[in-house]
């Protein structure tokens, strides 16, 4: 028996997760991704720049912005996940994507706490944690792309997409 693929294209709540064919999750994930990538750049720069305290301080707050952004992205992403039929490959990939993102968010929250008040360049421990978390986020992002581009989760069907190519 095949699950209805159209079910995963429709939002559980259009008001909360975005209308058909235009989900909110993809735009919200840009906040934590951008903040966390920038935080690692600041971390690395704190080891070579003239004012490591300022860069370490900036990295710490970029991590906090990323965690808050991840919570917003996770909220609407979870609504999208609920639309995927259980027992399907898309559901398993969605569950892995969700789990990895949860682990990454927890890792960055711990990283924020571990850093404390900046005093010089970012210590190696938090720096390594950030890099590992960012690598894990990359794997999870790949899986999220597979959900959208391979399985069409929350993507409009082809007949709707064709409207954009009519003259």
């Amino acid at each position: 028996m095949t699950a209805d693929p159209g079910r995963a294209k429709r939002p559980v709540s259009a008001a909360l997760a975005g209308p058909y064919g235009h989900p909110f999750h993809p735009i919200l994930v840009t906040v934590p991704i951008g903040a966390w990538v920038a935080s690692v750049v600041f971390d690395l720069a704190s080891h070579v720049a003239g004012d490591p305290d300022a860069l370490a301080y900036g990295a710490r707050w970029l991590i906090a912005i990323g965690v808050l952004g991840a919570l917003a992205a996770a909220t609407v992403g979870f609504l999208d996940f609920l639309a995927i039929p259980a027992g399907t490959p898309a559901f398993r990939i969605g569950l892995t994507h969700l789990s990895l993102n949860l682990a990454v968010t927890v890792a960055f929250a711990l990283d924020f706490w571990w850093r404390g008040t900046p005093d010089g360049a970012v210590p190696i421990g938090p720096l390594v944690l950030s890099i590992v978390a960012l690598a894990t986020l990359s794997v999870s992002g790949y899986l999220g792309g597979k959900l959208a581009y391979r399985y069409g989760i929350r993507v409009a069907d082809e007949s709707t997409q064709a409207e954009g190519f009519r003259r």
Side-chain angles (χ1 to χ4, degrees):
M1 185 171 113
T2 302
D4 175 19
R7 175 179 156 196
K9 294 183 175 296
R10 302 279 176 198
V12 172
S13 168
L16 297 176
Y20 171 71
H22 200 101
F24 295 149
H25 181 69
I27 191 64
L28 290 175
V29 300
T30 63
V31 173
I33 293 169
W36 290 334
V37 167
S39 76
V40 170
V41 170
F42 277 38
D43 284 350
L44 295 171
S46 77
H47 287 270
V48 295
D51 189 2
D53 287 348
L55 289 164
Y57 186 80
R60 186 168 189 255
W61 287 106
L62 282 165
I63 288 170
I65 290 166
V67 169
L68 294 174
L71 295 175
T75 301
V76 295
F78 186 69
L79 292 173
D80 292 346
F81 174 70
L82 291 176
I84 302 171
T88 62
F91 183 87
R92 287 188 293 279
I93 289 173
L95 187 59
T96 303
H97 174 71
L98 182 155
S99 300
L100 288 174
N101 284 336
L102 179 60
V104 166
T105 303
V106 168
F108 274 112
L110 290 171
D111 195 355
F112 177 86
W113 171 80
W114 188 4
R115 289 164 185 255
T117 303
D119 184 25
V122 174
I124 291 299
L127 175 59
V128 168
L129 178 58
S130 288
I131 291 170
V132 169
L134 201 56
T136 304
L137 182 64
S138 297
V139 172
S140 183
Y142 170 83
L143 294 175
K146 187 171 185 176
L147 288 168
Y149 296 109
R150 170 81 179 191
Y151 297 124
I153 303 300
R154 294 285 279 121
V155 175
D157 61 41
E158 289 182 11
S159 62
T160 303
Q161 292 173 17
E163 294 171 7
F165 296 94
R166 292 190 186 111
R167 295 189 185 266

